[in-house]
């Protein structure tokens, strides 16, 4: 009896220990899982902030260089930024920190038409930003979505639902009303921005067709974001140099006192780093969240950017123009939501 009771006590003790051990294991698993969730949330938040800050800063710094410094060589600024991107990506690739596809003649021939549009898109963006305030640029860029949607319908036979078209209609209204009420309206700037919208939409539509062909001529059969950044920026250099001579920026570069100012070079170099930072942070944010969150945050990001542009550059505005800008920004958010719902249904 004594031995049985003793063994029973030992059994109960062991059972309690197993139960306690199981509880501890469960608690440990819960802590590990909660730590992982917190880590993922922190990564998503951090990547989102990095993306928003870099994209906003890039536009504001470009506006500062072109307007506040009154730098009249937008193509040269683009060329310098792209050169910085090529140098940094090449160094990171040589250190095996990132992987890039080797640039071959076959790949160049396939990619060149897209690159011409890419350069045109960047150049017209610089030209329009010099004359138009940041808030109106963000609203007018919504017109790109309208052109892209129409292009998708005719080229890829893609049909959009009524919510998407309603959002696009609101974007057109906001762009027109914003232009009419713009106190700092500049016809040249608006003309460049309209051309930019068509080129940006063309780049987006052409890229979809060229990407598949480009993958077939690469060694790995793939073309990641880093390879695209390196390819686009490398091919843009000779084309950019040609455009500097076409638009006669060479004479200006030899005479302007800005290039003898160290602080101006610092700001220009910062703009180059920010340009590349957008590529890195957008990939990081997209990886941490997804296309849905990425597109929505991109639309919401235009609101603080527009406010910062008006405040920092002391843009003269009216209640009607501010309402048009806000209407356009909200139309952009509505468009992002409509696209998300369209994707989920399809």
């Amino acid at each position: 009896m004594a031995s049985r009771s003793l063994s029973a006590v030992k059994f109960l003790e062991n059972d309690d220990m197993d139960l306690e051990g199981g509880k501890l294991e469960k608690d440990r698993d819960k802590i590990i899982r909660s730590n992982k969730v917190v880590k993922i949330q922190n990564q998503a938040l951090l990547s989102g902030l990095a993306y928003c800050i870099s994209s906003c800063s890039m536009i504001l710094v470009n506006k500062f260089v072109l307007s506040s410094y009154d730098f009249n060589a937008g193509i040269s600024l683009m060329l310098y930024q792209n050169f910085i991107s090529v140098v940094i990506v090449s160094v990171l690739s040589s250190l095996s920190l990132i992987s890039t596809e080797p640039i071959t003649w076959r790949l160049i021939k396939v990619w060149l038409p897209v690159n011409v549009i890419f350069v045109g898109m960047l150049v017209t963006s610089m030209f329009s930003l010099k004359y138009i305030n940041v808030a109106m640029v963000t609203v007018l860029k919504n017109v790109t979505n309208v052109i892209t949607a129409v292009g998708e319908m005719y080229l890829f036979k893609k049909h959009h639902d009524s919510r998407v078209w309603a959002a696009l209609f609101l974007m057109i209204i906001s762009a027109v009303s914003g232009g009419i009420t713009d106190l700092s309206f500049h016809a040249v700037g608006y003309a460049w921005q309209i051309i930019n919208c068509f080129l940006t939409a063309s780049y987006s539509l052409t890229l979809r067709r060229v990407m598949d062909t480009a993958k077939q001529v690469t060694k790995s059969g793939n073309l990641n974001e880093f390879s695209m950044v390196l390819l686009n920026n490398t091919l843009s250099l000779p084309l950019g140099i040609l455009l500097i001579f076409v638009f006669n920026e060479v004479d200006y570069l030899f005479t302007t006192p800005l290039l003898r100012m160290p602080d101006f070079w610092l700001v220009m170099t910062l703009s180059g780093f920010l340009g590349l930072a957008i590529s890195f942070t957008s990939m990081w944010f997209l990886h941490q969240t997804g296309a849905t969150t990425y597109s929505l945050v991109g639309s919401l990001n235009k609101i603080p950017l527009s406010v910062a542009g008006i405040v920092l550059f002391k843009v003269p505005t009216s209640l009607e123009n501010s309402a048009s800008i806000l209407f356009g920004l909200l139309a952009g958010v509505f468009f992002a939501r409509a696209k998300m719902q369209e994707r989920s249904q399809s």
Side-chain angles (χ1 to χ4, degrees):
M1 284 286 292
S3 62
R4 279 182 185 178
S5 62
L6 187 63
S7 63
V9 168
K10 283 183 180 178
F11 173 76
L12 287 169
E13 282 178 357
N14 289 336
D15 194 41
D16 286 342
M17 283 175 70
D18 288 342
L19 286 168
E20 193 177 336
K23 191 180 177 184
L24 284 168
E25 257 184 59
K26 284 179 183 176
D27 289 343
R28 199 180 297 116
D29 287 342
K30 280 182 183 177
I31 291 165
I32 290 166
R33 279 198 299 271
S34 65
N35 284 340
K36 281 181 180 178
V37 169
V38 169
K39 192 175 179 183
I40 289 165
Q41 286 176 344
N42 287 342
Q43 286 280 319
L45 181 64
L46 192 63
S47 61
L49 282 172
Y51 167 67
C52 290
I53 291 167
S54 60
S55 59
C56 284
S57 300
M58 176 68 179
I59 295 171
L60 293 172
V61 170
N62 278 347
K63 180 66 176 174
F64 183 65
V65 171
L66 295 166
S67 297
S68 299
Y69 275 108
D70 196 26
F71 187 59
N72 294 317
I75 300 168
S76 301
L77 176 61
M78 177 216 72
L79 187 67
Y80 184 65
Q81 290 172 349
N82 290 3
F83 174 71
I84 289 172
S85 296
V86 170
V87 170
I88 295 170
V89 173
S90 298
V91 169
L92 292 174
S93 181
S94 63
L95 294 171
S96 299
L97 295 172
I98 59 171
S99 62
T100 56
E101 288 293 326
I103 299 174
T104 60
W105 280 112
R106 286 181 70 197
L107 186 58
I108 289 169
K109 279 189 280 186
V110 170
W111 201 262
L112 196 58
V114 182
N115 189 254
V116 171
I117 301 170
F118 171 75
V119 172
M121 183 180 72
L122 294 182
V123 170
T124 52
S125 176
M126 292 289 186
F127 287 167
S128 66
L129 195 59
K130 181 172 176 60
Y131 299 108
I132 311 176
N133 67 72
V134 173
M136 275 311 302
V137 166
T138 55
V139 171
L140 291 170
K141 277 184 180 291
N142 284 338
V143 177
T144 303
N145 295 322
V146 180
I147 300 165
T148 305
V150 173
E152 284 176 336
M153 191 172 66
Y154 283 103
L155 295 174
F156 304 110
K157 308 299 178 191
K158 185 176 181 181
H159 296 285
H160 300 286
D161 62 29
S162 57
R163 284 168 298 194
V164 172
W165 287 114
L168 293 171
F169 181 67
L170 293 175
M171 286 176 176
I172 294 169
I173 293 172
S174 66
V176 172
S177 62
I180 292 168
T181 57
D182 188 3
L183 297 178
S184 55
F185 180 86
H186 198 292
V188 174
Y190 272 73
W192 281 120
Q193 186 54 52
I194 290 166
I195 296 168
N196 176 260
C197 290
F198 277 97
L199 287 171
T200 307
S202 300
Y203 178 72
S204 175
L205 294 167
T206 310
L207 192 64
R208 297 180 192 186
R209 288 191 166 185
V210 173
M211 276 287 288
D212 294 331
T213 312
K215 285 177 183 179
Q216 292 171 10
V217 298
T218 57
K219 288 186 177 179
S220 66
N222 194 21
L223 195 68
N224 60 23
E225 184 74 21
F226 297 116
S227 299
M228 283 172 59
V229 169
L230 183 62
L231 187 60
N232 259 334
N233 289 290
T234 302
L235 293 180
S236 72
L237 298 181
L239 192 55
I241 293 167
L242 177 65
L243 288 173
I244 285 172
F245 285 97
V246 171
F247 283 85
N248 200 26
E249 287 189 1
V250 178
D251 293 339
Y252 172 78
L253 293 172
F254 277 116
T255 56
T256 181
L258 290 171
L259 296 183
R260 292 189 288 274
M261 294 167 59
D263 60 320
F264 179 72
W265 279 104
L266 184 66
V267 174
M268 279 227 303
T269 305
L270 174 64
S271 70
F273 276 97
L274 286 170
L276 188 60
I278 292 171
S279 297
F280 282 97
T281 54
S282 60
M283 278 189 294
W284 182 25
F285 185 42
L286 197 58
H287 178 70
Q288 293 297 327
T289 54
T292 302
T293 308
Y294 177 80
S295 61
L296 187 59
V297 169
S299 297
L300 290 169
N301 193 36
K302 291 177 181 179
I303 297 171
L305 172 62
S306 299
V307 173
I310 291 169
V311 173
L312 291 174
F313 297 101
K314 299 179 176 63
V315 177
T317 186
S318 62
L319 182 63
E320 294 85 358
N321 186 243
S322 298
S324 297
I325 290 166
L326 181 62
F327 185 68
L329 295 171
L330 293 176
V333 176
F334 179 48
F335 173 74
R337 291 273 299 173
K339 287 288 283 182
M340 284 189 292
Q341 288 170 351
E342 189 181 62
R343 278 197 212 102
S344 63
Q345 286 173 359
S346 62

